[in-house]
């Protein structure tokens, strides 16, 4: 396997995981008032994190094992930075840690969970434009 094929395979694996997170978040949102919003927000964060990591793999940029969106975005060139504000980066990073475990966090309103998924979709769209087409298609079984 050539180096480009190996890279595209790894990128595709990150994309597939991100797409699964997006499916989970979007499907769970359909529960409306019964929606576990913390779960939706966690999956939205994972979409963004995994798409960023796919892009970093493509660019040959090593990244630490972190869930911090701001830290991952900072590794990218200006031309590769996705459509995400600093506020949204902080918000999503909190969803990766604070919402996963019991503690002092307040319940997340449904509107905020919807916003998190909208952010994830926006980042997904901007990163996918930069990825090779071969990395965007699911592997056939």
């Amino acid at each position: 396997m050539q180096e480009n094929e190996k890279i595209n395979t790894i990128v595709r694996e990150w994309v597939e995981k991100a797409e699964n997170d997006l499916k989970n978040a979007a499907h769970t949102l359909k529960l409306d008032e019964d929606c576990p919003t913390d779960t939706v927000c966690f999956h939205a964060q994972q979409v963004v994190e995994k798409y960023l990591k796919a892009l970093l793999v493509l660019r040959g940029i090593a990244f630490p094992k972190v869930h911090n969106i701001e830290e991952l975005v900072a590794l990218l060139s200006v031309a590769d930075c996705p459509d995400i504000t600093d506020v949204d980066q902080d918000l999503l990073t909190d969803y990766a840690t604070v919402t996963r475990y019991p503690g002092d966090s307040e319940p997340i309103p449904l509107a905020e969970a919807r916003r998190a998924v909208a952010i994830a979709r926006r980042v997904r769209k901007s990163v996918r434009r930069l990825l090779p087409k071969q990395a965007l298609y699911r592997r056939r079984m």
Side-chain angles (χ1 to χ4, degrees):
M1 186 183 286
Q2 291 183 326
E3 189 63 27
N4 279 350
E5 284 181 59
K6 287 180 188 176
I7 291 170
N8 284 341
T9 297
I10 296 167
V11 170
R12 182 174 36 255
E13 289 170 352
W14 280 108
V15 167
E16 287 176 3
K17 292 292 187 182
E19 289 298 309
N20 288 341
D21 282 309
L22 184 56
K23 286 177 192 173
N24 274 302
H27 180 72
T28 305
L29 268 180
K30 293 177 184 178
L31 296 171
D32 289 322
E33 295 305 318
D34 289 332
C35 176
T37 53
D38 58 336
T39 301
V40 169
C41 291
F42 171 74
H43 283 292
Q45 184 280 340
Q46 288 289 289
V47 172
V48 173
E49 178 182 328
K50 291 170 184 169
Y51 265 108
L52 291 174
K53 289 179 176 178
L55 184 54
L56 289 164
V57 167
L58 180 68
R59 297 297 188 237
I61 300 169
F63 52 87
K65 190 174 182 177
V66 297
H67 303 295
N68 186 307
I69 300 301
E70 184 178 11
E71 195 172 330
L72 295 171
V73 168
L75 296 171
L76 293 166
S77 70
V78 172
D80 282 342
C81 281
D83 184 12
I84 186 168
T85 67
D86 292 345
V87 170
D88 291 343
Q89 290 175 45
D90 290 341
L91 187 66
L92 290 175
T93 296
D94 284 347
Y95 296 150
T97 54
V98 175
T99 62
R100 287 175 63 188
Y101 305 106
D104 297 331
S105 64
E106 294 291 320
I108 299 169
L110 186 58
E112 188 174 326
R114 287 185 176 125
R115 177 176 168 229
V117 172
I119 295 165
R121 288 183 189 279
R122 190 176 68 237
V123 171
R124 172 188 181 267
K125 184 177 180 180
S126 63
V127 172
R128 285 177 70 92
R129 288 186 195 136
L130 302 171
L131 300 177
K133 287 186 176 146
Q134 310 88 291
L136 299 177
Y137 299 108
R138 274 193 106 90
R139 290 175 290 181
R140 308 227 181 217
M141 300 289 187

